[in-house]
Amino acid sequence: LNKIYLLREYQRMGLGRRMVGHVVRRFLELGIDSMWLYVDARNPSRYGWLALGAVKTDDDPGNGNYGWKDLRLLAERCPVGDTP
């Protein structure tokens, strides 16, 4: 996953989670079962990824490398319907 941006006024509404849900389901349809991403280590959005079950993929606290080994677990946490 490269980037997902939401304007501040649309954050904390569940929209990012739903967007990720669509990406994850598409990846699973394509046979992709893991995903890694990079977040600026100073960006508070990293807490959102951790809340979705991401794990830090290295020991360097200055890096924002996170990922999921099993995207099925992430798909369970990300709704794609009309309600967040």
Side-chain angles (χ1 to χ4, degrees), residues 32-68:
I32 300 167
D33 59 4
S34 62
M35 179 171 71
W36 272 250
L37 58 89
Y38 175 81
V39 177
D40 185 320
R42 298 163 296 176
N43 189 327
S45 70
R46 71 185 181 282
Y47 297 115
W49 297 118
L50 292 170
L52 290 176
V55 295
K56 187 98 166 74
T57 61
D58 61 29
D59 295 330
D60 185 345
N63 286 335
N65 299 316
Y66 297 91
W68 296 264

Side-chain angles (χ1 to χ4, degrees), residues 1 4 18-28 35 71:
L1 180 63
I4 291 181
R18 287 176 25 206
M19 288 170 46
V20 169
H22 284 286
V23 170
V24 166
R25 282 166 180 76
R26 182 68 176 137
F27 280 5
L28 289 169
M35 179 171 71
L71 285 181

